[in-house]
Amino acid sequence: MRRSRLLLAALLAGMIAPGTWLRTPEPPRDFRRLATATAIAFESTRTGPFTLAGAWEMTGHRKQFGGFSALVTLDGDRFLAGSDTGRRLVFERPDRSTLPGVLERFGDDQAGGKEGRDLESLAIDPASGTVWGGYEFRKSIIRFHADLRVDEEVSPPLMRDWGGNSGAEALVRFADGRFLVIEERPLRWRDSRHVALLFATDPIDDAEPESVRVDIPGGYRPVDATPLEDGRALILLRRLALGIPPGFETAIAVIDIDRRTADGRIPARLLAEFGTAIPQDNYEGMTITDDADGRHVWLISDDNFMALQRTLLLKLRWDQREKARE
């Protein structure tokens, strides 16, 4: 009997041992910074041809998340946002997915200080996935591969005199391969004209861009742009609203780089001034999606890493019939 018990104990030990010593390896730890989008209440208000159709507050790592000043569409379901601290956020459309976004550095070989990482604008070639970024303090444009690795950088001589805190604020790539980059600062105080460069092709390859003037009405300043058809683009505009505390006013205008005034200016025509029709914040990024139910304009806000501001993402339905009447 004793020998039977010992044999049974040995058999039990043998059965337990593989579960103890041959466990499935633990999955690698995920050190990526994740971001979430939470729907917020809103009124479906209409301003000009735009109707507010969705609103989300985005949150993430409290020290690294925020400061988003540029937005492009990677494909129909994903966005890429760039921040003025040199980080990128790739995230799914929150109206179609609840998956978290991923926050990472935007190029490992950029200069360490804010002056080298202050990304203010993005443009993309939808066919190849190539991305271009406009950098404010560097006064340069960087091209990225489709996997967002740094490719090449150019510092156009005509951008040397642009303001250190207002350069390359809006960058747009048109379907025909031309590029437009706009300085946020006007030519003079209370002037409506803003210096811009029009590239015939990729800014990395075009050493002689055309210097043009974009006329921005209403005391607004350009903060982002996204391409339309036939040489047109939407321009996202911002204006400081004095108060306690001060705030921001947002507008959207349209330009046509092939239609100019007699003195050569490219006029921007206001489509909507939003006032309090949308949740107010510092909107600095804009992109467009063409969906089964129509065209939508998306805005993202720059919270300036301040507690009184938020990172908001808005979805605006654009009534193309209203646009046609205008």
PDB file of all heavy atoms in Angstrom, residues 74-86:
ATOM      1  N   LEU A  74      -5.171  59.392 -43.166  1.00  0.00           N
ATOM      2  CA  LEU A  74      -4.297  58.337 -43.686  1.00  0.00           C
ATOM      3  C   LEU A  74      -5.051  57.439 -44.661  1.00  0.00           C
ATOM      4  O   LEU A  74      -4.524  57.001 -45.669  1.00  0.00           O
ATOM      5  CB  LEU A  74      -3.727  57.504 -42.534  1.00  0.00           C
ATOM      6  CG  LEU A  74      -2.695  58.204 -41.643  1.00  0.00           C
ATOM      7  CD1 LEU A  74      -2.266  57.263 -40.525  1.00  0.00           C
ATOM      8  CD2 LEU A  74      -1.492  58.653 -42.458  1.00  0.00           C
ATOM      9  N   ASP A  75      -6.274  57.119 -44.329  1.00  0.00           N
ATOM     10  CA  ASP A  75      -7.177  56.377 -45.209  1.00  0.00           C
ATOM     11  C   ASP A  75      -8.584  56.715 -44.742  1.00  0.00           C
ATOM     12  O   ASP A  75      -8.756  57.621 -43.924  1.00  0.00           O
ATOM     13  CB  ASP A  75      -6.885  54.868 -45.173  1.00  0.00           C
ATOM     14  CG  ASP A  75      -6.802  54.334 -43.747  1.00  0.00           C
ATOM     15  OD1 ASP A  75      -7.722  54.630 -42.955  1.00  0.00           O
ATOM     16  OD2 ASP A  75      -5.836  53.631 -43.423  1.00  0.00           O
ATOM     17  N   GLY A  76      -9.555  56.041 -45.245  1.00  0.00           N
ATOM     18  CA  GLY A  76     -10.916  56.395 -44.872  1.00  0.00           C
ATOM     19  C   GLY A  76     -11.258  56.209 -43.413  1.00  0.00           C
ATOM     20  O   GLY A  76     -12.248  56.759 -42.935  1.00  0.00           O
ATOM     21  N   ASP A  77     -10.452  55.425 -42.680  1.00  0.00           N
ATOM     22  CA  ASP A  77     -10.792  55.090 -41.301  1.00  0.00           C
ATOM     23  C   ASP A  77      -9.780  55.544 -40.263  1.00  0.00           C
ATOM     24  O   ASP A  77     -10.004  55.359 -39.071  1.00  0.00           O
ATOM     25  CB  ASP A  77     -10.963  53.570 -41.162  1.00  0.00           C
ATOM     26  CG  ASP A  77     -12.160  53.055 -41.934  1.00  0.00           C
ATOM     27  OD1 ASP A  77     -13.250  53.642 -41.793  1.00  0.00           O
ATOM     28  OD2 ASP A  77     -12.014  52.077 -42.686  1.00  0.00           O
ATOM     29  N   ARG A  78      -8.646  56.119 -40.687  1.00  0.00           N
ATOM     30  CA  ARG A  78      -7.617  56.514 -39.724  1.00  0.00           C
ATOM     31  C   ARG A  78      -7.142  57.940 -39.984  1.00  0.00           C
ATOM     32  O   ARG A  78      -7.123  58.408 -41.130  1.00  0.00           O
ATOM     33  CB  ARG A  78      -6.408  55.579 -39.793  1.00  0.00           C
ATOM     34  CG  ARG A  78      -6.667  54.154 -39.340  1.00  0.00           C
ATOM     35  CD  ARG A  78      -5.359  53.371 -39.321  1.00  0.00           C
ATOM     36  NE  ARG A  78      -4.673  53.477 -40.600  1.00  0.00           N
ATOM     37  CZ  ARG A  78      -3.350  53.487 -40.753  1.00  0.00           C
ATOM     38  NH1 ARG A  78      -2.566  53.413 -39.698  1.00  0.00           N
ATOM     39  NH2 ARG A  78      -2.806  53.562 -41.960  1.00  0.00           N
ATOM     40  N   PHE A  79      -6.746  58.593 -38.884  1.00  0.00           N
ATOM     41  CA  PHE A  79      -6.204  59.945 -38.962  1.00  0.00           C
ATOM     42  C   PHE A  79      -4.779  59.957 -38.411  1.00  0.00           C
ATOM     43  O   PHE A  79      -4.392  59.108 -37.597  1.00  0.00           O
ATOM     44  CB  PHE A  79      -7.045  60.918 -38.135  1.00  0.00           C
ATOM     45  CG  PHE A  79      -8.439  61.115 -38.656  1.00  0.00           C
ATOM     46  CD1 PHE A  79      -9.529  61.043 -37.795  1.00  0.00           C
ATOM     47  CD2 PHE A  79      -8.676  61.373 -39.991  1.00  0.00           C
ATOM     48  CE1 PHE A  79     -10.810  61.230 -38.255  1.00  0.00           C
ATOM     49  CE2 PHE A  79      -9.962  61.563 -40.468  1.00  0.00           C
ATOM     50  CZ  PHE A  79     -11.035  61.495 -39.596  1.00  0.00           C
ATOM     51  N   LEU A  80      -4.031  60.961 -38.851  1.00  0.00           N
ATOM     52  CA  LEU A  80      -2.705  61.246 -38.315  1.00  0.00           C
ATOM     53  C   LEU A  80      -2.702  62.685 -37.844  1.00  0.00           C
ATOM     54  O   LEU A  80      -2.971  63.603 -38.618  1.00  0.00           O
ATOM     55  CB  LEU A  80      -1.629  61.042 -39.381  1.00  0.00           C
ATOM     56  CG  LEU A  80      -0.235  61.616 -39.076  1.00  0.00           C
ATOM     57  CD1 LEU A  80       0.409  60.887 -37.897  1.00  0.00           C
ATOM     58  CD2 LEU A  80       0.661  61.551 -40.305  1.00  0.00           C
ATOM     59  N   ALA A  81      -2.405  62.887 -36.559  1.00  0.00           N
ATOM     60  CA  ALA A  81      -2.292  64.231 -35.989  1.00  0.00           C
ATOM     61  C   ALA A  81      -0.846  64.464 -35.572  1.00  0.00           C
ATOM     62  O   ALA A  81      -0.170  63.544 -35.098  1.00  0.00           O
ATOM     63  CB  ALA A  81      -3.218  64.385 -34.789  1.00  0.00           C
ATOM     64  N   GLY A  82      -0.359  65.684 -35.764  1.00  0.00           N
ATOM     65  CA  GLY A  82       0.991  66.050 -35.355  1.00  0.00           C
ATOM     66  C   GLY A  82       0.938  67.135 -34.293  1.00  0.00           C
ATOM     67  O   GLY A  82       0.047  67.998 -34.321  1.00  0.00           O
ATOM     68  N   SER A  83       1.877  67.092 -33.350  1.00  0.00           N
ATOM     69  CA  SER A  83       1.873  68.051 -32.245  1.00  0.00           C
ATOM     70  C   SER A  83       3.074  68.974 -32.306  1.00  0.00           C
ATOM     71  O   SER A  83       4.081  68.677 -32.966  1.00  0.00           O
ATOM     72  CB  SER A  83       1.864  67.309 -30.897  1.00  0.00           C
ATOM     73  OG  SER A  83       3.174  66.916 -30.534  1.00  0.00           O
ATOM     74  N   ASP A  84       2.974  70.090 -31.587  1.00  0.00           N
ATOM     75  CA  ASP A  84       4.072  71.041 -31.570  1.00  0.00           C
ATOM     76  C   ASP A  84       5.168  70.643 -30.583  1.00  0.00           C
ATOM     77  O   ASP A  84       6.069  71.424 -30.302  1.00  0.00           O
ATOM     78  CB  ASP A  84       3.576  72.463 -31.284  1.00  0.00           C
ATOM     79  CG  ASP A  84       2.727  72.552 -30.029  1.00  0.00           C
ATOM     80  OD1 ASP A  84       2.809  71.635 -29.184  1.00  0.00           O
ATOM     81  OD2 ASP A  84       1.981  73.533 -29.883  1.00  0.00           O
ATOM     82  N   THR A  85       5.095  69.403 -30.083  1.00  0.00           N
ATOM     83  CA  THR A  85       6.213  68.843 -29.316  1.00  0.00           C
ATOM     84  C   THR A  85       6.874  67.705 -30.092  1.00  0.00           C
ATOM     85  O   THR A  85       7.631  66.926 -29.521  1.00  0.00           O
ATOM     86  CB  THR A  85       5.741  68.327 -27.942  1.00  0.00           C
ATOM     87  OG1 THR A  85       4.734  67.326 -28.136  1.00  0.00           O
ATOM     88  CG2 THR A  85       5.184  69.456 -27.092  1.00  0.00           C
ATOM     89  N   GLY A  86       6.561  67.600 -31.378  1.00  0.00           N
ATOM     90  CA  GLY A  86       7.216  66.610 -32.225  1.00  0.00           C
ATOM     91  C   GLY A  86       6.704  65.200 -32.061  1.00  0.00           C
ATOM     92  O   GLY A  86       7.429  64.235 -32.301  1.00  0.00           O
TER      93      GLY A  86
END
